[in-house]
Amino acid sequence: MELLFATKNRNKLLEVQAFAGEQIKITGLDSTGFDKDIPENEPTLEGNASAKSWYVFKLTGKNCFADDTGLEIETLGGKPGVHSARYGGIKKNDMANREKVLSELVNESNRKARFRTVISLIINGKEKLFEGAVYGKIIDEPRGDKGFGYDPIFIPNGYDKTFAEMELDEKNRISHRTDAVKKLIEYLQDEVIG
């Protein structure tokens, strides 16, 4: 079965492809020549994931899924949350986002955080939502050069290294996206592919 992942983020595409196996072929928007900006104006991760998948489905007619992910920091009341990608400014900038988070946590002892991913799947015009989360903490300064986004400042519970210090397969075993994708894949295998 073939599914279109409504993303142009190569890192996200690689993470999902590595987990999906051979039964399901997942392609990204770059493979379709899709060049429109996908709206992300909803106030929740669920709303954004849904809006993105419906937008791509209506334009392409292809079965697809979209995700929205946010870093939710307990002491910041769940921020940056749905605004994670542009937390440091209007343009997406990973370093600016990390710097803003770290500046807001100076002298803060509660560093608890979670990454949460919501996936909206559209199959034959019907939607199903899946959610995944990983809990951990924010450290004082970035470590590691793998991954992207907030990976260099997030250490998952039970580990002593950041997502950015992990190899892709190690991160994939425990990540929020994998948690949500696992639920997506199980659903597709059980309910769609059969």
Side-chain angles (χ1 to χ4, degrees):
M1 125 168 252
E2 191 167 328
L3 262 184
L4 180 60
F5 185 4
T7 187
K8 292 182 181 179
N9 183 322
R10 181 144 176 77
N11 291 308
K12 284 182 10 177
L13 181 61
L14 288 172
E15 279 186 18
V16 173
Q17 285 173 331
F19 187 76
E22 295 180 16
Q23 276 190 309
I24 302 163
K25 181 181 178 192
I26 297 176
T27 57
L29 290 176
D30 287 343
S31 69
T32 67
F34 191 95
D35 61 354
K36 300 187 178 346
D37 285 333
I38 301 173
E40 293 185 67
N41 304 319
E42 299 299 320
T44 65
L45 298 176
E46 291 82 359
N48 268 344
S50 182
K52 290 192 281 187
S53 62
W54 280 113
Y55 182 79
V56 170
F57 178 77
K58 287 173 182 170
L59 284 176
T60 66
K62 295 184 179 197
N63 290 331
C64 66
F65 67 97
D67 77 324
D68 202 22
T69 295
L71 174 67
E72 299 171 335
I73 300 171
E74 187 173 278
T75 196
L76 299 181
K79 289 180 183 174
V82 73
H83 304 292
S84 293
R86 293 180 176 82
Y87 198 55
I90 294 171
K91 289 192 173 219
K92 291 182 180 181
N93 183 306
D94 290 348
M95 188 180 296
N97 292 337
R98 289 190 298 267
E99 287 173 357
K100 182 170 181 183
V101 162
L102 292 176
S103 72
E104 291 179 338
L105 293 178
V106 170
N107 301 322
E108 180 57 59
S109 59
N110 179 359
R111 315 285 284 200
K112 291 179 186 173
R114 71 176 179 174
F115 272 117
R116 192 165 67 94
T117 294
V118 175
I119 293 175
S120 165
L121 169 70
I122 309 289
I123 295 279
N124 302 323
K126 294 187 176 151
E127 181 181 29
K128 181 124 176 100
L129 294 176
F130 306 89
E131 180 181 320
V134 62
Y135 293 81
K137 67 180 180 182
I138 303 298
I139 59 174
D140 292 327
E141 57 185 42
R143 290 192 342 223
D145 57 5
K146 298 175 182 71
F148 58 99
Y150 297 95
D151 287 357
I153 61 172
F154 181 83
I155 295 181
N157 288 342
Y159 291 80
D160 60 1
K161 55 186 172 181
T162 68
F163 270 169
E165 293 174 301
M166 295 180 179
E167 295 299 329
L168 181 60
D169 63 337
E170 183 178 13
K171 178 186 171 187
N172 272 349
R173 283 196 298 272
I174 61 168
S175 85
H176 47 293
R177 188 168 292 108
T178 295
D179 189 18
V181 168
K182 192 183 294 185
K183 293 169 185 171
L184 167 72
I185 300 297
E186 285 172 4
Y187 173 79
L188 290 171
Q189 290 171 337
D190 295 345
E191 304 295 329
V192 180
I193 298 171

